[in-house]
Structures are given as C-alpha cells and as structure tokens.
C-alpha cells in the first residue's frame, strides 16, 4: 500500500522556485493498478521518483506498506527499494561494459543472492529469452 499525505516537492532553478508537486495526497491499495498521465511538466517524474524512493519530498509524508519511509536514511531507503519496490523502465538501462549475463546477474549480486543460485538463475533467464 502506498499512502502520500500532503506531499510537496519544490526545488530552486536559478532564482525561480519550481513547485513540481504541491500538496499531493494519494492512496494506492494493495493489488491496485494506477496509471499516471499528464502533459510534460505536470509532475509525473517527480511523483514517480518520490514513490520509488529515488527522491525526497520537500514536505509531507509517505507511507509504504504501513511504514513511514519519509525520514529513513539513504541506506534504509536503498534496502526498501531493493526488497519492496520494482521499476519498469521505458528504456534499457544496461551497463555497456558488462556482458548480457553480467547485466542480468548484477541485481542478484546487489540483492545478496549466493553465487551458485545467481549463475543458475542467469542461465535460465537467458535461455528463456533465447540468448
């Protein structure tokens, strides 16, 4: 469950204050699907960055699965991102200097999956894709 309460995300660009998000409140229940749409500059990316714990609000609170994640440390937020949040990107985000297998393996390394399990999972994933 995602609960945003009175979220603001403001930042300074030169001498201009940009109000990317202003008093946004939102509740997304477990199992619900949501589409975020709007014109360029309407705050979609700042909202997604906050929900994904890639950015912090200027004001307001964010609760994920009943836990306030607004004031967690960077390390604590990284742990929550790793264990509770998934991202689907519009573009490929591969590390150019890594092989296909190493790119597939990288998130498993970061998640602490043991080497023998990683290698098996990588092989199965690549095989299923015909790679």
């Amino acid at each position: 469950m995602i609960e945003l309460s009175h979220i603001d995300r403001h930042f300074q660009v030169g001498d201009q204050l940009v109000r990317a998000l202003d008093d946004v409140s939102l509740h997304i229940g477990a199992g619900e699907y949501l589409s975020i749409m709007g014109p360029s500059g309407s705050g979609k990316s700042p909202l997604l960055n906050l929900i994904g714990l890639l950015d912090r609000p200027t004001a307001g609170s964010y609760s994920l699965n009943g836990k306030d994640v607004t004031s967690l440390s960077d390390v604590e937020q990284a742990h929550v991102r790793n264990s509770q949040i998934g991202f689907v990107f519009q573009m490929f985000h591969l590390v150019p200097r890594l092989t296909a297998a190493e790119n597939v393996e990288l998130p498993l390394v970061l998640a602490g999956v043991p080497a023998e399990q990683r290698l098996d999972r990588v092989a199965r994933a690549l095989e299923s894709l015909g790679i």
Side-chain angles (χ1 to χ4, degrees), residues 4-131:
L4 303 179
S5 182
H6 303 287
I7 293 288
D8 292 344
R9 180 59 179 108
H10 304 162
F11 51 91
Q12 201 74 31
V13 176
D15 61 349
Q16 177 106 20
L17 178 66
V18 176
R19 296 176 179 274
L21 300 171
D22 209 12
D23 196 30
V24 174
S25 293
L26 172 68
H27 174 86
I28 305 170
E32 289 183 334
Y33 287 88
L34 176 73
S35 179
I36 299 173
M37 303 182 319
S40 179
S42 64
K44 299 178 303 288
S45 292
L47 178 61
L48 291 172
N49 285 336
L50 289 171
I51 291 172
L53 296 176
L54 298 172
D55 195 8
R56 295 177 183 272
T58 306
S61 65
Y62 171 17
S63 176
L64 178 64
N65 296 324
K67 179 178 179 180
D68 186 352
V69 294
T70 312
S71 60
L72 295 179
S73 71
D74 289 344
V75 170
E76 291 169 323
Q77 284 193 346
H79 177 72
V80 171
R81 269 194 311 276
N82 184 40
S83 63
Q84 298 182 46
I85 298 175
F87 294 95
V88 177
F89 294 99
Q90 290 179 325
M91 300 176 61
F92 294 105
H93 289 281
L94 301 175
V95 180
R97 71 180 197 288
L98 298 181
T99 66
E102 290 167 335
N103 268 285
V104 172
E105 183 182 20
L106 183 58
L108 299 173
V109 171
L110 298 175
V113 175
E116 63 278 355
Q117 289 179 24
R118 285 196 317 263
L119 297 177
D120 179 57
R121 288 172 66 177
V122 167
R124 284 187 285 128
L126 292 176
E127 182 180 325
S128 74
L129 297 170
I131 299 175

